[in-house]
Amino acid sequence: AQSVTQLDSHVSVSEGTPVLLRCNYSSSYSPSLFWYVQHPNKGLQLLLKYTSAATLVKGINGFEAEFKKSETSFHLTKPSAHMSDAAEYFCVVWLWGKFQFGAGTQVVVTP
Amino acid sequence: DAGITQSPRHKVTETGTPVTLRCHQTENHRYMYWYRQDPGHGLRLIHYSYGVKDTDKGEVSDGYSVSRSKTEDFLLTLESATSSQTSVYFCAISAEDRDTYTGELFFGEGSRLTVL
């Protein structure tokens, strides 16, 4: 069985400071991993995905994530938060045709 | 943006009444999914379809049924709505063969259902 854990339900950052959203997964195999973002009253939008190529993945809007197999982690980072980054973020694992969603991390950005 | 339309976007209904949510896509993608989103649970799969008239259950399928008579339409039906089915429902589509390759899911904007 596979599962995905987002370690923080809420993260608050100041505009211009780094953002770190943590995601750990459990799987007996090497899954594909995604980060999605959801702005209020909107559907989810893909930020980036890892599918067994480079372990450092760059996504849209300056986000990137690093796949660390030894730590079973796929943490999302951004060097400098913008007010428009305020949203909910979901880590998603795909394996054998099944998508498993984390519970989400709500990001608040303060001026 | 992927061409996915959900209807209705908002609905309030009473316990025991039937409800049908519609997902329409213009991408001709093979796979379609219905998820529900509840605080603290992320998204949970209700049902999915891998082709016309081909559907299967997800992890929270009790109380829900689906139908797919055309590639572009995927209907989710609550035969007799209950308050526990108050949620935001998302339709998603995916082009890839889910058993051999994965790409991304494209999501609709959601349907907010309130069951009183």
Side-chain angles (χ1 to χ4, degrees), chain A residues 32-87:
Chain A
S32 294
L33 297 156
F34 305 80
W35 276 99
Y36 281 83
V37 60
Q38 184 182 30
H39 289 94
N41 300 312
K42 295 291 187 182
L44 280 71
Q45 178 187 14
L46 182 71
L47 275 179
L48 48 81
K49 64 180 179 182
Y50 166 77
T51 54
S52 74
T55 57
L56 184 62
V57 181
K58 293 188 183 300
I60 62 172
N61 300 334
F63 284 94
E64 63 181 37
E66 186 172 8
F67 172 68
K68 292 186 176 180
K69 187 174 182 179
S70 61
E71 299 176 9
T72 60
S73 70
F74 190 56
H75 299 336
L76 180 71
T77 60
K78 183 173 181 177
S80 177
H82 191 273
M83 295 299 293
S84 61
D85 294 328

Side-chain angles (χ1 to χ4, degrees), chain B residues 3-74:
Chain B
I4 308 170
T5 305
Q6 292 186 228
S7 60
R9 294 289 314 280
H10 301 272
K11 185 171 182 66
V12 179
T13 191
E14 295 188 349
T15 298
T17 60
V19 176
T20 295
L21 305 180
R22 179 180 184 242
C23 178
H24 178 80
Q25 61 147 328
T26 58
E27 306 296 321
N28 200 36
H29 283 359
R30 179 181 176 190
Y31 291 95
M32 300 186 75
Y33 306 80
W34 276 108
Y35 289 91
R36 60 178 289 173
Q37 183 178 26
D38 304 289
H41 290 277
L43 272 73
R44 292 179 291 174
L45 182 64
I46 305 171
H47 282 279
Y48 66 95
S49 170
Y50 46 96
V52 173
K53 298 187 178 179
D54 291 323
T55 64
D56 205 350
K57 296 178 180 180
E59 61 183 299
V60 290
S61 59
D62 288 347
Y64 301 95
S65 62
V66 291
S67 65
R68 192 170 178 196
S69 59
K70 297 184 290 185
T71 298
E72 58 266 35
D73 290 326
F74 192 33

Side-chain angles (χ1 to χ4, degrees), chain A residues 32 34 36 38 41-44 46 49 51 88 90 94 96-104, chain B residues 9 33 35 37 40-43 59 90 97-105 107-109 112:
Chain A
S32 294
F34 305 80
Y36 281 83
Q38 184 182 30
N41 300 312
K42 295 291 187 182
L44 280 71
L46 182 71
K49 64 180 179 182
T51 54
E88 189 160 21
F90 293 93
W94 182 95
W96 305 125
K98 295 186 184 299
F99 291 93
Q100 185 78 36
F101 286 76
Chain B
R9 294 289 314 280
Y33 306 80
Y35 289 91
Q37 183 178 26
H41 290 277
L43 272 73
E59 61 183 299
F90 284 96
D97 180 338
R98 66 195 296 270
D99 292 322
T100 60
Y101 174 72
T102 182
E104 65 180 285
L105 290 169
F107 285 87
E109 297 213 327
R112 184 175 295 275

